[in-house]
Amino acid sequence: MSVVLGRAGRYVAELQQRLSTIVAEERYVQTVWHLRAADRREPLSRVELRSEFLLVRPDGADRYVELRDTFEVDGRPVHDRRDRLSGLFTDRVSPSRSSVQQIIDESARYNIGDITRTLNVPTLPLLFLHPRYQSRFKFERTRDTEPAVARLQGETAGTAVFRVSTEVWVIAYREVDEPTLVRTPEGRNRPVRGRFWIEPDTGRVLMSDLTAGDNDLRAEISVSYQSEPLLGFLVPIEMRERYEARKKNTLIEGSARYSAFRPLAAREAGQRRP
């Protein structure tokens, strides 16, 4: 186990550096449902976002943070985009001295529903395998190999990317140290748990599950990572999420797909064109 986790840690550390040099387009659909009796549900609201998605490392921070730079909401352009980001960036690429929390809040700006969500970023689970943070978690190999997305949303066409055709170890994790890496808006600890699908010989992570919450509010997120031919390494391809607040009778489901991966320099050049 320790050998495989060591390989995964080195893989994740290198992958973060590689991902920080590219930008992707995210198409993200969120739906809020009202839960009714007898397993019935009623749609309350829906939003479709198009965003640029990238990793940034604020000055003085010890980790990369995911930035969702939304440029279109339900087909309408976001007009204040440049002004919003000026507080986070000294130019169009490098982060200023913004706090990690500011970037997290900006990435959640267009989330819908009355559940605060900052876990909905596809590279977050990889952080837990980084050598700097592995000691905060307990890991064990498990026989439970079915991704949460398949159990929660059924065997639909979209779950095809949540299958693997190579030999993998499914390793369960749970956070045991405090303060936790993820916390509520009030600052309370929010320990996470989940699973990784890891190639034991290479340490590559092919899929991840993340679960947080309790019986009143439960979040489940699954991510699939696949090879991008032009880049030559694994990138997030799809993220599925589900948040259920039983006291509020509310369910939020989301599905995000990632494409158009390109060097970060191309993004900067494109934004500087008149």
Side-chain angles (χ1 to χ4, degrees), residues 230-249:
L230 295 179
L231 299 175
F233 54 90
L234 301 187
V235 294
I237 292 295
E238 185 169 342
M239 176 181 70
R240 293 289 183 96
E241 60 179 338
R242 175 187 172 100
Y243 305 82
E244 184 173 354
R246 295 186 177 180
K247 289 184 177 180
K248 298 180 180 180
N249 293 324

Side-chain angles (χ1 to χ4, degrees), residues 21-202:
T21 67
I22 64 172
V23 61
E25 180 175 319
E26 177 189 66
R27 289 179 176 264
Y28 187 14
V29 177
Q30 303 178 25
T31 306
V32 180
W33 304 85
H34 173 61
L35 299 178
R36 303 174 66 89
D39 294 327
R40 295 176 57 195
R41 57 185 188 177
E42 172 186 4
L44 296 178
S45 58
R46 180 184 184 276
V47 68
E48 182 169 352
L49 308 176
R50 290 182 64 198
S51 308
E52 288 186 324
F53 188 87
L54 61 155
L55 290 181
V56 297
R57 189 168 185 171
D59 290 347
D62 63 353
R63 64 182 174 99
Y64 288 96
V65 184
E66 300 87 350
L67 173 64
R68 176 178 289 114
D69 178 9
T70 301
F71 61 84
E72 186 178 286
V73 178
D74 289 334
R76 298 185 298 273
V78 175
H79 295 294
D80 67 339
R81 180 187 182 194
R82 185 178 298 274
D83 292 337
R84 283 191 295 106
L85 295 181
S86 64
L88 297 177
F89 289 79
T90 55
D91 53 43
R92 297 305 294 175
V93 175
S94 301
S96 67
R97 291 188 175 274
S98 307
S99 69
V100 168
Q101 191 60 47
Q102 282 179 291
I103 295 175
I104 292 173
D105 292 343
E106 176 60 37
S107 297
R109 182 184 183 94
Y110 292 99
N111 287 346
I112 59 174
D114 56 0
I115 300 173
T116 300
R117 293 176 289 138
T118 57
L119 300 175
N120 55 338
V121 285
T123 55
L124 175 63
L126 299 179
L127 179 69
F128 311 149
L129 283 172
H130 194 285
R132 183 180 295 115
Y133 298 109
Q134 275 194 23
S135 62
R136 305 178 60 88
F137 294 83
K138 294 292 186 182
F139 297 92
E140 63 179 355
R141 195 172 176 185
T142 177
R143 296 182 181 274
D144 182 9
T145 63
E146 183 183 22
V149 67
R151 287 198 298 264
L152 295 173
Q153 299 181 350
E155 286 294 332
T156 63
T159 62
V161 297
F162 289 92
R163 300 192 185 100
V164 294
S165 57
T166 186
E167 179 186 356
V168 297
W169 282 21
V170 182
I171 296 180
Y173 66 88
R174 59 184 178 89
E175 190 173 13
V176 294
D177 276 8
E178 294 182 351
T180 56
L181 293 175
V182 176
R183 289 185 283 276
T184 68
E186 298 77 25
R188 295 195 300 271
N189 288 321
R190 181 67 79 187
V192 296
R193 61 193 184 278
R195 291 169 295 164
F196 293 108
W197 282 252
I198 299 175
E199 287 182 341
D201 293 338
T202 65

